[in-house]
Amino acid sequence: MLDSPEELEKSHANSADLLTEGSNHVILDMPNEARLPEMSNLESQSKSRKRLLMWWIKVAILCLVIIGILAIFLKWGAPFLIEKVLYPILQQATALDRPVLALILVAALTLFPVFLIPSSPLLLLSGMIFGYGFGFVIIMIGTTFGMTLPFLTGLLFRDRIHHWLKRWPQKAAMIKLAGEGSWFHQFKVVALFRISPFPYTIFNYAVVVTNIRFWPYLCGSVTGMIPEAFVYIYSGQLIKTLADVKYGNHHLSLVQIIYNIVSFIVAIIAIVAFAICAKKKLNSLKRLSTEAEGDVTGKCSEGEISASGRSNEGEEGFASGKSNELEGKGSTSGKNNECESKGSGNVEGNQGTCSANGKIYADEGFDNGNNTCRV
């Protein structure tokens, strides 16, 4: 049954009121929609704060675990090692002539890395017996030979080492950084490897599969070993002091005890900080190297041509996906990446500019015979 005109007018009025209320509701809700990006930013900030808080909690737990392990070691492990191992070795070593002992230590530091034997006990012994002066000279001479001989030996087995590194592609990609870039870049990467927790006995052999040159390797290795040498000398002197206190007539005052404890903690923190910073720097260099390898695009005129097989459109031309040809002011082939001049325009490659007026403004790598330039 049809409604009367009065009922229709009432229904229209009610719908208008509802629309007005709905419009007001929508208008009131608009600021909430406008605040959505702000809310998402707040949520991301809260998540970042939570991640930072969790990181500090993990660091605190790790520090507590390290302190606990050190307390256990100082209580039971250190006295056992000092009494049964270090003190007898120290007595036998001091019985020898110092020049003879120095030659023995240098020879051992040279040969141990060749057979993948850790040299840490020898470094501690050098610090215990010879101290900061002559001990530092012995450590640097021995480790220099100990880093050179494995490198030269590894060159004889380069193919076998390369095949062996395929089992650990991530480590191999990290080691590959040492052979990239200029002389200073190789020097810097090798020094970072020496400071980082990467096993240096393995690095001596693994680095030969890269394109690294000998002198950046040697100079970077020596530079990276300097902080480690001082840490080992300090540790050796501290162990010798503890041994003299326990088995000798030497006594430490309260100030000396506090100084040794604080300096030991500072040394541990410095070692960890250097290792973390070096590892982060190596990871950042790895990311930059990966991005550089992925960026294989060239530029022709003002448009860009991608070598990935996709079509790119620039201001000066068009690149097809199959043949990578740039039509308009220039073209490039997909196989040899040559930039040929067409028409009356200019084509810019990575090494210079080709002009279409019958001449080529050759820079380096230009072909003066067929009016082509390489991108």
Side-chain angles (χ1 to χ4, degrees), residues 219-236:
C219 295
S221 299
V222 172
T223 303
M225 275 299 299
I226 292 175
E228 188 175 356
F230 279 110
V231 169
Y232 276 109
I233 293 172
Y234 168 77
S235 302

Side-chain angles (χ1 to χ4, degrees), residues 47 72 86 135 174 227 267 294 331 343:
K47 289 180 180 179
I72 294 172
L86 294 176
M174 188 70 72
S331 68

Side-chain angles (χ1 to χ4, degrees), residues 256-278:
Q256 290 176 330
I257 294 173
I258 295 174
Y259 169 77
N260 287 322
I261 293 174
V262 172
S263 59
F264 179 74
I265 295 173
V266 170
I268 295 296
I269 294 174
I271 294 170
V272 174
F274 272 114
I276 292 175
C277 292

